[in-house]
Amino acid sequence: MAVFAPKAALPPPVQTTGPIAWIRQNLLSSPFNIALTALALWIVVSGGSSLVTWAILDATFIGEGQDACSNGGACWAFIINRLDFFTYGFYPAAERWRVNLGFLMLAVALVPQFITGFSGRRALGLFGLTALPVITGVLLVGGVFGLRPVDTSQWGGLMLTLVLAYVGIVAALPLGMVLALGRRSSMPVVRISCTTFIELWRGVPLISVLFMASVMLPLFLPTGVTFDKLLRALIGITLFQSAYMAEVIRGGLQAIPRGQFEAASALGLGFWRSTGLIILPQALKLVIPGVVNTFIALFKDTTLVLIIGLLDILGTVQSAIVDPAWSRVAVEGYIFAGFCFWIFCFGMSRYSQALESKLHTGHRK
């Protein structure tokens, strides 16, 4: 008769899910990966500790001059002291409530777009694309409804950056759609005109466009005829970006199968109805990453208005860091400007990803 011989218990199975399993598989899977992980950890810890010490522990947050920043850390007191200038430029202090009201309306229109399930999101988005630019323009310019006129030469800082970017985005998108459709038109005059426009504007740098709009254009106008420098910059930026936008949208139009065009024709739809109801919605879904990429490029290109004498947020920082009262604050100033740009560009990128996920039509691979 066989005698039962108990066996030793088996070890537990190797964990294949969870953070520990991920670390084991991706960071500690081989001696080489272990060495790279240790090296990366050492760089992060040593560099991170120095950064935290400079940016927080030894930093100065309150002060009225460079003498207050003697701890060897970052001088954030400079940013706090000049925050109004970085936000409003030379806009009169007594009228800055109008800028703040514009910021508030912009936030009301944009923030709900990031909240899934918000009931009034579509209405607020439509408000942001149509009425908001007009209302904000009236508020900022003034001269009506008892508002004191404020010359655009006094605009600056973050408000000027947002005005340039927002107006450029709102105007360049529909103009780009028209140009993209025109370039694919069967009518030679329309097709050649749109192609010429696109290739002309894509062939010159934005700096040249701004320089021409600011310096050269007034030379060709009749005596006594002129218009605002900011308006000229807005027109130049819009036309320049609309050419790039047109090519992005044209890529989406070319990706639509011919069967969609034939199906629309079979339903008896004309050009405008088939384009507006069937073709263009599908094309825009396909090119969301490219469209947002163009928006981000436009937002960052607003810094080029410095060459025509307009001080956007980067321009205000550059003009403030040369103040003799605040020496050795260039790093803090550029970090602040870069952080502001990163916030808005990252927000646009995240909204693009959320919109792409929501409108997913099965094209992702």
Side-chain angles (χ1 to χ4, degrees):
M1 181 177 179
V3 178
F4 173 73
K7 296 182 179 179
L10 295 174
V14 178
Q15 190 174 6
T16 57
T17 59
I20 296 178
W22 185 91
I23 292 174
R24 183 184 295 117
Q25 295 172 2
N26 294 278
L27 304 180
L28 307 174
S29 58
S30 66
F32 181 69
N33 283 345
I34 292 174
L36 286 180
T37 301
L39 177 63
L41 190 62
W42 176 78
I43 293 174
V44 170
V45 171
S46 59
S49 61
S50 300
L51 180 62
V52 170
T53 301
W54 176 81
I56 299 177
L57 300 181
D58 291 343
T60 302
F61 296 90
I62 300 175
E64 296 296 331
Q66 186 63 41
D67 295 339
C69 302
S70 58
N71 296 335
C75 186
W76 301 122
F78 163 71
I79 302 298
I80 296 173
N81 191 274
R82 298 301 177 90
L83 190 58
D84 286 348
F85 180 55
F86 296 153
T87 306
Y88 308 104
F90 298 102
Y91 208 86
E95 306 296 330
R96 288 176 182 173
W97 64 269
R98 290 148 60 174
V99 182
N100 295 333
L101 184 57
F103 286 157
L104 178 62
M105 289 191 295
L106 181 64
V108 169
L110 294 185
V111 171
Q113 309 306 319
F114 294 87
I115 303 175
T116 304
F118 191 87
S119 58
R121 186 168 60 172
R122 180 171 298 181
L124 289 174
L126 185 62
F127 166 77
L129 293 175
T130 56
L132 178 60
V134 178
I135 296 174
T136 305
V138 171
L139 276 174
L140 296 182
V141 175
V144 293
F145 305 119
L147 297 173
R148 172 188 165 189
V150 178
D151 194 84
T152 56
S153 61
Q154 296 178 281
W155 299 16
L158 180 62
M159 63 163 288
L160 180 61
T161 298
L162 292 179
V163 167
L164 291 168
Y166 196 79
V167 173
I169 289 172
V170 171
L173 181 59
L175 186 55
M177 292 182 192
V178 173
L179 290 170
L181 293 173
R183 186 160 187 172
R184 289 170 51 86
S185 175
S186 59
M187 294 183 285
V189 175
V190 175
R191 184 176 65 253
I192 293 173
S193 300
C194 292
T195 303
T196 303
F197 178 91
I198 292 171
E199 297 302 332
L200 175 65
W201 287 93
R202 285 203 308 165
V204 294
L206 181 57
I207 289 180
S208 299
V209 174
L210 294 173
F211 184 77
M212 289 289 293
S214 175
V215 179
M216 300 301 294
L217 181 61
L219 301 178
F220 297 97
L221 295 177
T223 304
V225 177
T226 183
F227 56 95
D228 189 78
K229 181 192 293 185
L230 176 60
L231 181 60
R232 280 178 273 161
L234 283 171
I235 293 174
I237 291 174
T238 300
L239 296 179
F240 182 84
Q241 294 297 337
S242 65
Y244 284 89
M245 186 66 68
E247 288 302 280
V248 172
I249 296 175
R250 188 169 70 90
L253 293 173
Q254 292 186 167
I256 303 299
R258 177 166 292 277
Q260 296 293 315
F261 295 88
E262 296 172 349
S265 300
L267 291 174
L269 300 179
F271 172 79
W272 293 110
R273 294 185 66 190
S274 62
T275 300
L277 299 176
I278 297 178
I279 306 302
L280 202 53
Q282 297 184 71
L284 291 178
K285 288 179 185 177
L286 294 175
V287 297
I288 287 175
V291 169
V292 175
N293 197 41
T294 305
F295 287 164
I296 291 175
L298 188 156
F299 191 86
K300 292 188 290 188
D301 283 347
T302 57
T303 57
L304 296 176
V305 298
L306 180 63
I307 66 167
I308 59 173
L310 297 176
L311 295 180
D312 71 319
I313 185 170
L314 182 61
T316 55
V317 168
Q318 287 182 324
S319 63
I321 60 178
V322 296
D323 186 348
W326 295 92
S327 59
R328 303 186 302 277
V329 291
V331 174
E332 290 86 344
Y334 286 123
I335 288 177
F336 172 74
F339 180 72
C340 292
F341 275 96
W342 181 82
I343 286 291
F344 287 98
C345 293
F346 181 71
M348 285 190 280
S349 176
R350 294 299 302 173
Y351 180 68
S352 162
Q353 295 178 18
L355 191 62
E356 191 178 359
S357 177
K358 177 185 176 183
L359 301 178
H360 178 48
T361 55
H363 296 282
R364 181 180 295 176
K365 295 181 179 178

